[in-house]
């Protein structure tokens, strides 16, 4: 790979911890789309059976900790009928296996980069940095974008799992290539349970179902086609759920709980049922809401997680219900991106246990009990495209690198409560804004109350066109530097990412590059 003087300067700053931005981050849109497969060759919606990702098991356990081994590696799948597509998966699975973890059990996950030395089409080196999104991890295990693992290397990630029950997800966060790596398939769910969540009569077990939604585009030979649309975002013409195009799921006449993750690189969704019936939103990014919220539709940005209960008891056997997508503004839409999956109601017998949505879920949720009067400071973050660059308060990730990773956008003290106002003055694009480590409460949107489906603790907020949102945040149980970025991964890769530091003046901060084990030959886990 040819490197510019600026690239070499970055290497000297990062040392062994991270390498640099290639001269071309992605293929040119106009040339790439010339090879796009004909729409007539795409799979027809609702002709593929629904599947769930398998649950991963630890390689060993001790009194406090479960140990896992995961290999990021190429795999081939059939999405386009009669054609094979190379993707990249955790343990060769797309999406990756599901972690199911009990609160209080620590985990160590060895993530091994067994990817090719060079991407077969885009010609970049697929370094990785695994982010457990929604976890209060120490900085060195948070998937810091520039803390990369190259092909042939591994890193052990330590997760504390002390937070309330929630749906997290793990995905690649490697600097400048997050969008491509996630597009290739590097994403999976990580479910954390606790005694309260297990005690509620909401659906569990067979009736607690992950839905990992993503979009893809393909070349005529079945290979993946990636285009950034002038760095505005990637928008595919095929919708996958758990790796299957527009699948159909057989459902019994009872309630199901769906953990919906938007794992698309850029696309946002607006969910509804074609029957027009309501859905019960029972959990947001950071777990159970205080009370369920009944909605007929709701907007879902990249990386957000919503747990939704749908009651199929009202439908007759043989009836088909379609989960639809009324696309929010500034997505690029295609013929069948207005539909996601179908549910076919069957007359099979079912258990009536855990078949309710109680009126109270988690009224003691700590983040939602924060009061605006608790705040000691208010900060403003502006998400703006300037001179072709995506910026937050005029800062890019390249500015962070140039500073030797010392530059921060905010320095709250541990246990401080602050208000952060996030603003998007543009009418041309939206930003799903993610703040690492912490949970927040949405105080208001455009001066009005938060939307019903946002009335739970979150770590990603949809920042729509010309919108502003006010967030209430407590910086508890943490110290060190964490990222803030747009989770439209194309925007992130083109540097709409900065960092803040939780300051604990009595204890030195952790170093994201402090784990030497990744540079050693793989030994016992």
């Amino acid at each position: 790979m040819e490197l510019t003087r600026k690239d070499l300067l970055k290497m000297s700053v990062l040392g062994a911890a991270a390498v640099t931005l290639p001269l071309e981050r992605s293929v040119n849109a106009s040339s790439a789309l010339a090879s796009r497969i004909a729409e007539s060759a795409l799979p027809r919606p609702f002709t593929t059976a629904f599947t769930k990702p398998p649950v991963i098991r630890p390689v060993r356990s001790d009194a406090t900790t479960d140990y896992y081994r995961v290999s990021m590696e190429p795999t081939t799948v059939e999405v386009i009928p009669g054609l094979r597509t190379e993707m990249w998966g955790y343990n060769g699975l797309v999406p990756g296996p599901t972690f199911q973890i009990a609160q209080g059990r620590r985990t160590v996950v060895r993530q091994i980069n067994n990817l090719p030395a060079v991407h077969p089409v885009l010609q970049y080196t697929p370094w990785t940095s695994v982010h457990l999104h929604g976890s209060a991890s120490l900085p060195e295990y948070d998937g810091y974008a520039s803390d990369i693992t190259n092909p042939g290397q591994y890193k052990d990630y330590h997760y504390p799992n002390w937070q309330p029950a929630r749906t997290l997800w793990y995905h690649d966060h490697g600097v400048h290539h997050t969008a491509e790596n996630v597009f290739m398939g590097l994403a999976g769910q990580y479910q954390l349970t606790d005694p309260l969540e297990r005690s509620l009569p909401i659906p569990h077990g067979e009736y607690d179902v992950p839905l990992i939604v993503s979009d893809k585009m393909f070349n005529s030979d079945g290979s993946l086609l990636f285009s950034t649309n002038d760095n505005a975002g990637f928008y595919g013409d095929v919708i996958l759920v758990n790796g299957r195009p527009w699948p159909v799921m057989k459902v019994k006449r009872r309630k199901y709980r769906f953990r919906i993750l938007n794992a698309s690189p850029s696309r946002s969704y607006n969910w509804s049922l074609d029957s027009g019936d309501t859905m019960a939103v029972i959990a947001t990014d950071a777990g159970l809401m205080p009370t369920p919220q009944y909605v007929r539709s709701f907007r879902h940005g990249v990386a957000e997680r919503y747990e939704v209960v749908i009651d199929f008891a009202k439908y007759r056997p043989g009836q088909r219900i379609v989960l639809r997508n009324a696309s929010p503004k500034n997505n690029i839409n295609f013929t069948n991106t207005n539909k996601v999956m179908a549910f076919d109601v069957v007359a099979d017998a079912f258990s009536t246990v855990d078949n309710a949505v109680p009126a109270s879920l988690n009224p003691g949720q700590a983040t939602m009990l924060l009061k605006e009067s608790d705040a000691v400071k208010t900060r403003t973050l502006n998400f703006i495209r300037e001179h072709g660059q995506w910026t937050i308060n005029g800062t890019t990730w390249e500015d962070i690198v140039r500073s030797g990773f010392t530059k921060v956008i905010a320095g709250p003290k541990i246990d401080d409560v602050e208000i952060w106002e996030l603003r998007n003055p543009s009418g041309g694009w939206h930003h799903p804004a993610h703040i690492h480590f912490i949970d927040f409460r949405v105080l208001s949107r455009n001066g009005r109350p938060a939307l019903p489906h946002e009335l739970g603790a979150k770590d990603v907020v949809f920042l729509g066109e010309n919108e502003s949102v006010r967030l209430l945040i407590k910086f508890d149980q943490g110290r060190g530097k964490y990222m803030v970025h747009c989770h439209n991964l194309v925007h992130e890769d083109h540097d709409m990412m900065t960092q803040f530091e939780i300051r604990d003046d009595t204890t030195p901060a952790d170093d994201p590059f402090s784990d030497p084990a990744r540079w050693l030959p793989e030994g016992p886990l």
Side-chain angles (χ1 to χ4, degrees), residues 201-203 254-255 309 352-358:
I202 58 179
R254 57 151 291 155
K255 293 179 175 67
V309 174
T352 58
V353 175
D354 297 333
N355 191 26
V357 177

Side-chain angles (χ1 to χ4, degrees), residues 30-287:
S30 58
S31 61
L33 293 177
S35 62
R36 177 181 159 210
I37 196 168
E39 185 177 298
S40 59
L42 297 179
R44 290 184 296 113
F46 317 141
T47 57
T48 304
F50 175 82
T51 62
K52 294 182 188 179
V55 175
I56 191 170
R57 302 300 178 194
V59 295
R60 72 178 180 90
S61 300
D62 60 28
T64 62
T65 306
D66 298 315
Y67 299 82
Y68 295 85
R69 183 182 187 276
V70 176
S71 172
M72 295 171 271
E73 57 192 41
T75 186
T76 59
V77 299
E78 182 175 310
V79 177
I80 307 300
L83 298 175
R84 303 295 294 179
T85 300
E86 179 179 321
M87 293 188 182
W88 295 345
Y90 292 109
N91 284 349
L93 300 173
V94 179
T98 300
F99 288 76
Q100 293 181 340
I101 309 297
Q103 183 189 50
R105 288 289 299 175
R106 294 196 292 266
T107 52
V108 175
V109 182
R110 174 162 295 177
Q111 292 281 2
I112 308 161
N113 186 339
N114 282 323
L115 298 173
V118 178
H119 188 284
V121 176
L122 304 181
Q123 298 298 300
Y124 68 89
T125 300
W127 54 70
T128 61
S129 181
V130 181
H131 175 45
L132 180 54
H133 183 132
S135 174
S137 305
L138 291 172
E140 62 264 43
Y141 305 125
D142 188 50
Y144 193 81
S146 293
D147 179 26
I148 65 164
T149 302
N150 277 298
Q153 298 173 343
Y154 73 91
K155 178 166 181 171
D156 292 339
Y157 291 85
H158 297 240
Y159 302 126
N161 303 317
W162 56 261
Q163 296 162 286
R166 62 188 60 199
T167 300
L168 307 91
W169 67 302
Y170 61 104
H171 64 84
D172 185 65
H173 214 302
V175 65
H176 295 140
H177 292 300
T178 298
E180 293 98 330
N181 288 351
V182 172
F183 174 73
M184 290 295 292
L186 293 177
Q189 279 198 12
Y190 186 107
Q191 299 170 3
L192 184 61
T193 66
D194 67 13
L196 172 61
E197 183 267 342
R198 290 192 296 271
S199 73
L200 293 174
I202 58 179
H204 295 283
E206 173 188 351
Y207 308 108
D208 179 357
V209 182
L211 300 184
I212 301 172
V213 182
S214 61
D215 57 336
K216 308 293 181 190
M217 186 173 280
F218 298 84
N219 292 303
S220 56
D221 62 359
S223 61
L224 288 173
L225 190 165
F226 184 81
S227 172
T228 68
N229 297 291
D230 190 29
N231 299 334
F234 169 82
Y235 301 95
D237 55 358
V238 176
I239 304 296
L240 303 185
V241 180
N242 296 350
R244 299 294 185 94
W246 298 289
V248 58
M249 177 185 178
K250 296 185 183 300
V251 293
K252 301 170 184 177
R253 299 182 67 232
R254 57 151 291 155
K255 293 179 175 67
Y256 283 73
R257 169 188 181 185
F258 296 102
R259 299 175 185 252
I260 310 177
L261 159 65
N262 180 356
S264 291
S266 304
R267 182 178 297 280
S268 59
Y269 299 84
N270 194 311
W271 309 121
S272 64
L273 301 176
D274 70 343
S275 64
D277 290 313
T278 60
M279 302 170 279
V281 183
I282 64 168
T284 48
D285 305 330

